[in-house]
Amino acid sequence: DTGVSQNPRHKITKRGQNVTFRCDPISEHNRLYWYRQTLGQGPEFLTYFQNEAQLEKSRLLSDRFSAERPKGSFSTLEIQRTEQGDSAMYLCASSPTGGYGYTFGSGTRLTVV
Amino acid sequence: GENVEQHPSTLSVQEGDSAVIKCTYSDSASNYFPWYKQELGKGPQLIIDIRSNVGEKKDQRIAVTLNKTAKHFSLHITETQPEDSAVYFCAASKDSSASKIIFGSGTRLSIRP
């Protein structure tokens, strides 16, 4: 296992289209997190899962955003009806149950044109 | 909610000199303080962390200090090397299992040869 894997690395989409990103965590990690990072800023928390249960969602996660983690393994983040303000780097991280010591993936950079 | 402020936003030091990055947090209930290094095109990487029952922690050339009374914590890098050039983020969590981490806005560190 080489770490947290995110696909695609880059995504360009037209405003109004739907996009879906995938995250494969480190296999023995029960927790999975999604963060969003805009240029020149630190990552902002979006949501996290303990196994397949989504335990917390940020107010940043509008109705257009949905995340899933079926079977407690990989996770997907979908953005419906994309807007230019959605342009950002979307980061996924995983950690053991205790939570300490996130491992981040390299992110998916979304550009909405 | 928790707010983490970080300064300076940019820092340039001569190779071999020390670098110090400072952060403050707002929520006195925060008890876990990780530091991340982010290189271009990559996700943040955990470099060191400290919990609230400890005032200082060292790992080779990196040290962190925590002042709970003042709600300050700092990262110290000694004998800086070119590979230390990156963006550094401080972060804080008040969750006992660090499920949600709030990041500072980052410091871009440049090491001059």
Side-chain angles (χ1 to χ4, degrees):
Chain A
D1 195 350
T2 56
V4 178
S5 177
Q6 292 190 246
N7 289 288
R9 290 295 310 275
H10 304 276
K11 178 71 176 179
I12 300 174
T13 191
K14 292 184 177 180
R15 190 173 52 187
Q17 297 295 305
N18 299 344
V19 294
T20 300
F21 311 139
R22 177 178 170 126
C23 173
D24 288 273
I26 292 172
S27 57
E28 60 266 29
H29 284 179
N30 294 327
R31 288 194 172 182
L32 186 148
Y33 313 82
W34 286 98
Y35 279 76
R36 182 173 71 185
Q37 186 177 26
T38 53
L39 202 61
Q41 298 297 316
E44 296 173 292
F45 173 82
L46 292 178
T47 188
Y48 92 96
F49 294 83
Q50 172 86 21
N51 298 314
E52 65 274 13
Q54 188 173 17
L55 296 186
E56 187 172 349
K57 293 194 295 185
S58 163
R59 282 171 285 182
L60 292 174
L61 215 64
S62 75
D63 292 344
R64 298 184 296 105
F65 288 70
S66 62
E68 294 182 343
R69 193 184 182 196
K71 304 179 182 178
S73 56
F74 71 91
S75 176
T76 58
L77 177 67
E78 181 183 16
I79 308 174
Q80 296 182 329
R81 304 180 304 282
T82 51
E83 302 172 355
Q84 285 191 316
D86 297 331
S87 295
M89 175 76 83
Y90 290 84
L91 293 163
C92 175
S94 68
S95 75
T97 302
Y100 297 103
Y102 282 21
T103 300
F104 278 91
S106 294
T108 294
R109 180 168 294 284
L110 173 66
T111 302
V112 181
V113 297
Chain B
E2 173 65 281
N3 183 49
V4 177
E5 294 192 355
Q6 181 172 350
H7 59 94
S9 57
T10 60
L11 179 61
S12 178
V13 302
Q14 193 76 32
E15 183 178 349
D17 288 350
S18 296
V20 180
I21 301 170
K22 299 183 178 182
C23 292
T24 60
Y25 60 99
S26 61
D27 193 331
S28 56
S30 290
N31 55 19
Y32 174 63
F33 305 91
W35 286 85
Y36 287 84
K37 175 184 181 182
Q38 188 172 28
E39 297 175 323
L40 196 62
K42 297 184 179 180
Q45 177 188 11
L46 179 69
I47 55 172
I48 195 167
D49 56 12
I50 190 168
R51 301 185 192 184
S52 59
N53 58 345
V54 174
E56 183 175 356
K57 183 176 178 180
K58 286 185 179 180
D59 183 3
Q60 300 181 352
R61 298 186 295 109
I62 295 174
V64 291
T65 58
L66 172 64
N67 182 331
K68 284 190 65 181
T69 303
K71 292 188 279 188
H72 289 174
F73 58 117
S74 300
L75 176 72
H76 304 251
I77 305 174
T78 59
E79 301 172 10
T80 53
Q81 300 170 4
E83 54 264 36
D84 295 329
S85 293
V87 179
Y88 291 81
F89 293 97
C90 62
S93 175
K94 63 177 180 178
D95 187 295
S96 60
S97 60
S99 59
K100 175 180 173 181
I101 289 178
I102 306 301
F103 284 80
S105 56
T107 296
R108 181 173 298 279
L109 175 63
S110 301
I111 308 301
R112 303 191 303 270

